[in-house]
Amino acid sequence: MHEIITLQLGQQSNYLATHFWNAQESYFTYSEDQEPAVNHDIHWRPGIGADGTETYMPRTVIYDLKGGFGSMAKTNALYNDLEEGQTPQALWNGPTVLQKQPAIPQSAYQQSLDAGLEPPPLTTDTVRYWSDFNRVFYHPRSVVQLNEYELNSSIMPFERYATGEDLFASLGKEHDLLDRDLRPFIEEADQMQGIQVMTGLDDAWGGFAAKYLERIRDEYGKTAMFVWGSEQESAMRAGGLSREKRLLRLANKARTMTEVYKYASVVVPFTVPATLPGSVVLDAGSQWHNTALSAAAIESVTLPSRLRDAANRDTLGTLADTLNAMGKQNVASLGMSFAPEPTEEEDVVMEGTQDFRQRQLLNQKSSRHAAVMAKENPEGVFLDINFTPSDQLDYVRRRGGGDDDRPRVFSQVLTSRGYEVDEQAQEANKAEEDEIFRRRSSYEPVMRSYHTPLRFPLLDSFPQIFRDDNGEPLKRGGGINVTSSLSTDSSVYKRLKLLRNTVGRSIGMEDREQLGNELAEMADEYHEGWSSGSDDGDDD
């Protein structure tokens, strides 16, 4: 069935994954006449609940610190086979004393879902934890709380790369985490296509992830692994972090990147950009908002790995091979553009109007079919929102440049959803496969595109961050057309060189040379084979 197992590491990643799982849950159809656009068996596992009923739950393992799960319990309505106050069986047969911390109360949204009622609208004030907007039941084996550290603790902060490494090592002395937590999900899969890991790159979760990936790669040498690495650059821009803390985060990222790079098939560092189009309005201080925007891009670009449509379906391994077309170039950039679905009134105008400008404006909502964009932009497609972190110690707003500022694209994967499939799109699709082989052999940018009519859902758990042409929030319950991309390009060279120069002095002498050499070697993979006069003086 080509299953994908997900590994969620930390609070930020669990916010992101909750948006992802809510979207997957919305794709279920409950009519025999309706076939879902996605193959649910890819990400969901069948099972039997405590009362014998059939269940369908995500193939995922969720790690978070003490207090990070909010009001969510390890068991739920489908697997809650313990009576209130009853303790699980254990090897100890003597008397037990049960100590309970005060429970975190459920949000009004969760209470309404449990009662089968219409939930109230969510706000940044009512979303305290990622579990507050979660719409999915998880198997008890999926929920793993790490009690060694507490969320947002100022006494023992979970903020250094080495802390994450040490935690993984100490937990491994008692239990092999892969054997205890991940292997049960892998072994029940018929034909696993890959593992996707959602983690922080610039905090202690980077060290934890690096050790976990090393363990997975030792055990599953040929498995495709996609790593989605979030960075909290928005906190740095807002001035909420001292210069020392900002430098620590960049040093954490440098260590994480050099280690994860060795084991992952694709690594995608991402953050919410400082400059957004006017059609996106979000609260930069809200993890619920920030991860919603990122989730829309990530969920869209990975759709080919779970679509039923054979013409637009590919595995994670194929996507990784496309992005690694020219060597060990597995650090990718994430991009996205979107448009509201055309209204009925606009459809009527579209069919009847003869005014060129009006038709051109309306056509923007149906002209971002991935195959057409790839054909019209053979040197690479650059979308409206670029999630690539700047890796700057002192934040400087990016200037909007012209074509001369654009990096050279080596490989690109484009996914469009919801846009109209016209004759032009069909012709571009037919010609694409031959074009891929020609470009690969001539060292031109390799581009592969996918399309589905399935729009990205705007659920009641999703914040109203998208705006229409009049600046009004798009209504929940509908959907948006999205084009999303993953690209390997020459900008990685400059960013890795900048990262190396920035963090070099903050690393101890014993690690400085090795870390600097590894970053330089990574950077060279994105510099070889092309010339740019502006980069000749970058080497030191």
Side-chain angles (χ1 to χ4, degrees), residues 192-212:
M192 181 177 67
Q193 65 163 294
I195 297 171
Q196 67 170 355
V197 181
M198 299 179 181
T199 183
L201 286 185
D202 57 357
D203 56 14
W205 287 110
F208 192 91
K211 287 301 180 184
Y212 214 137

Side-chain angles (χ1 to χ4, degrees), residues 72-82 137-140 143:
M72 192 177 83
K74 187 175 181 67
T75 56
N76 54 58
L78 300 182
Y79 282 88
N80 191 13
D81 55 352
L82 295 177
F137 286 123
Y138 298 97
H139 192 279
V143 180

Side-chain angles (χ1 to χ4, degrees), residues 296-443:
I298 291 171
E299 200 277 325
S300 296
V301 81
T302 57
L303 265 177
S305 65
R306 53 188 174 273
L307 288 176
R308 288 186 177 275
D309 177 14
N312 287 284
R313 183 177 66 234
D314 262 327
T315 64
L316 290 181
T318 302
L319 299 181
D321 289 343
T322 300
L323 292 169
N324 285 312
M326 298 185 182
K328 183 65 173 172
Q329 296 171 334
N330 60 350
V331 180
S333 300
L334 178 67
M336 185 183 83
S337 294
F338 86 96
E341 56 183 302
T343 63
E344 293 182 6
E345 293 80 2
E346 288 174 335
D347 281 334
V348 172
V349 173
M350 188 73 172
E351 292 175 4
T353 185
Q354 299 298 316
D355 181 81
F356 175 76
R357 176 171 172 75
Q358 190 175 19
R359 287 184 63 86
Q360 187 179 48
L361 291 172
L362 292 173
N363 194 51
Q364 289 178 359
K365 294 186 178 181
S366 59
S367 63
R368 289 187 178 270
H369 187 286
V372 175
M373 296 182 74
K375 184 178 180 180
E376 293 178 348
N377 301 273
E379 298 304 314
V381 176
F382 296 89
L383 302 177
D384 297 333
I385 303 173
N386 179 8
F387 292 89
T388 304
S390 67
D391 294 333
Q392 293 174 325
L393 178 58
D394 297 305
Y395 171 66
V396 178
R397 182 177 293 272
R398 294 178 185 172
R399 296 178 179 177
D403 292 343
D404 292 341
D405 297 322
R406 290 181 172 178
R408 179 191 172 187
V409 173
F410 301 119
S411 303
Q412 189 170 61
V413 170
L414 279 169
T415 302
S416 59
R417 58 191 306 179
Y419 295 101
E420 180 183 343
V421 180
D422 54 18
E423 185 176 340
Q424 184 185 14
Q426 293 174 349
E427 291 177 357
N429 258 332
K430 291 177 183 178
E432 183 174 88
E433 199 61 35
D434 291 338
E435 185 69 3
I436 288 175
F437 286 111
R438 185 192 69 78
R439 287 175 168 272
R440 195 184 296 267
S441 61
S442 59
Y443 296 97

Side-chain angles (χ1 to χ4, degrees), residues 12 199-203 229-243 245-254 257 268-276 282-287 290-291 294 334 385-399 495-496 498-499 502-503:
Q12 182 86 353
T199 183
L201 286 185
D202 57 357
D203 56 14
S230 62
E231 298 182 38
Q232 299 187 42
E233 203 171 84
S234 57
M236 295 171 64
R237 291 194 299 262
L241 294 177
S242 65
R243 184 180 177 85
K245 292 289 187 183
R246 296 199 302 270
L247 186 57
L248 173 61
R249 285 194 173 274
L250 289 175
N252 289 336
K253 177 182 179 176
M257 288 293 291
V268 187
F270 67 91
T271 192
V272 173
T275 304
L276 292 167
L282 53 75
D283 181 346
S286 167
Q287 291 190 84
N290 289 333
T291 54
S294 305
L334 178 67
I385 303 173
N386 179 8
F387 292 89
T388 304
S390 67
D391 294 333
Q392 293 174 325
L393 178 58
D394 297 305
Y395 171 66
V396 178
R397 182 177 293 272
R398 294 178 185 172
R399 296 178 179 177
R495 294 202 311 275
L496 289 176
L498 174 64
L499 189 61
T502 301
V503 306

